[in-house]
Amino acid sequence: MLAACLLVVACAGRAPESGAAEQAFPELITALSEPGGYFDTDNLISNERSYLHVVTDLRDAGVTGGAYVGVGPEQNFSYIAAIDPEVAFIVDIRRDNALEHLIFKALFAESTNRFEYACLLFGRPLPADLEARTVATIDELVAFLDGTPASPASRQTARERVDRAIRGFGLQLNDSDFDTIDRFHGEFIDAGLDLQFRSYGRSPRFYYPTYRDLMLERDRTGRRVNYLASETRFQRLRALQREDRIIPVIGDLAGDHALRAIGEYLSRRGSRVSAIYT
């Protein structure tokens, strides 16, 4: 399976109250990013069922705060929610990964709670008692998504809200980018919780988890620590996203710009690296 390459960088001190960036969100992405490269998968979700086992290690090591650097799709959110960093960078060689993270950022911007977020991600109609769903368990959320099919109206609403939010971020995106965003969001809506990791030209392996599996996965101590498992974790991420403190970066981990630029950015802020997890 594809190994999850995760770096956790714990840094001394807190970020300025103004948020992660002296530069505006679009300019910071541009300054840190490299030209995009090729990878033979859309990589919309993780293919690692045990992705939350690392959360136990992070908790045991006392890793909290500082700056987080990770790669890939939204498994990062569960790690970020666990360590509560001041700023997070999601680095990936694929430009498409940055576009997917703009979908997630838009969903956080449009949602008041994790139930609304999940409904918009999968194009489901919102429940009438949305506000009361903040206390829902992860099992109740999964049951609602499984039992509530997307309708043409709910799909259109979700797509329109996501695109509107993304256009408001001030990024220079072209028609091709929005075609990709539409295709990615459409795959979440069409597959629902049965969505799996997929490579080009190869069918999913039998052991690839579904999105449902990833939501219900546990850490090594049996805890449900997916970022949608509790409203507290979700709201922690929502605050970071709305303050532009989760930043998608296009870059090769073996390249000569993105990681160096992130390091220089943190250095200018007086951040000191005290721990790394790979």
Side-chain angles (χ1 to χ4, degrees):
M1 289 195 294
L2 178 68
C5 179
L6 170 69
L7 306 176
V8 177
V9 186
C11 310
R14 293 185 62 85
E17 292 299 320
S18 60
E22 291 83 0
Q23 295 166 278
F25 182 72
E27 286 73 25
L28 186 57
I29 292 176
T30 299
L32 299 178
S33 291
E34 304 169 358
Y38 174 77
F39 198 72
D40 70 342
T41 173
D42 283 342
N43 203 26
L44 295 181
I45 65 172
S46 176
N47 65 359
E48 294 189 310
R49 188 181 298 268
S50 60
Y51 76 109
L52 289 177
H53 288 186
V54 69
V55 174
T56 306
D57 299 329
L58 297 174
R59 187 168 58 241
D60 291 347
V63 177
T64 60
Y68 170 97
V69 183
V71 303
E74 65 169 1
Q75 78 269 21
N76 288 279
F77 296 154
S78 295
Y79 304 143
I80 293 169
I83 69 172
D84 194 19
E86 295 302 325
V87 61
F89 302 91
I90 313 299
V91 184
D92 200 288
I93 193 171
R94 297 170 301 115
R95 178 179 174 81
D96 285 357
N97 192 70
L99 296 177
E100 182 182 9
H101 275 280
L102 293 182
I103 297 174
F104 299 138
K105 182 175 177 64
L107 293 169
F108 278 105
E110 290 288 309
S111 303
T112 58
N113 61 33
R114 62 201 162 99
F115 225 91
E116 185 171 16
Y117 174 97
C119 286
L120 290 175
L121 175 60
F122 291 103
R124 271 37 180 181
L126 300 178
D129 59 343
L130 179 62
E131 185 175 349
R133 301 289 180 130
T134 57
V135 296
T137 66
I138 190 71
D139 295 292
E140 290 169 336
L141 176 54
V142 167
F144 179 87
L145 295 172
D146 275 336
T148 308
S151 68
S154 65
R155 180 192 184 103
Q156 181 178 353
T157 296
R159 289 293 310 114
E160 288 177 350
R161 289 178 66 177
V162 165
D163 280 357
R164 182 176 65 244
I166 291 175
R167 292 184 191 280
F169 296 153
L171 294 156
Q172 296 296 315
L173 301 176
N174 56 38
D175 290 344
S176 177
D177 291 329
F178 278 101
D179 287 344
T180 299
I181 287 167
D182 180 69
R183 177 166 61 86
F184 283 176
H185 195 189
E187 290 193 35
F188 279 92
I189 295 171
D190 292 340
L193 297 187
D194 292 326
L195 183 68
Q196 289 180 290
F197 179 96
R198 186 182 64 192
S199 299
Y200 302 142
R202 297 188 297 276
S203 60
R205 301 297 191 260
F206 72 91
Y207 48 75
Y208 285 175
T210 64
Y211 195 99
R212 183 185 303 102
D213 295 328
L214 297 177
M215 287 180 71
L216 298 175
E217 183 56 49
R218 302 172 186 266
D219 69 6
R220 287 197 182 106
T221 64
R223 300 182 188 182
R224 292 262 177 81
V225 291
N226 178 275
Y227 75 102
L228 294 176
S230 79
E231 194 65 26
T232 299
R233 288 189 180 90
F234 174 81
Q235 292 296 341
R236 189 176 297 158
L237 286 160
R238 181 172 177 262
L240 289 172
Q241 290 277 18
R242 291 167 72 92
E243 295 169 7
D244 295 338
R245 291 195 278 148
I246 298 180
I247 303 155
V249 177
I250 305 165
D252 186 346
L253 293 180
D256 59 4
H257 177 72
L259 287 185
R260 179 180 297 175
I262 291 171
E264 291 172 351
Y265 172 80
L266 293 174
S267 179
R268 288 195 301 270
R269 296 168 57 82
S271 300
R272 180 176 59 83
V273 176
S274 60
I276 298 177
Y277 179 90
T278 58

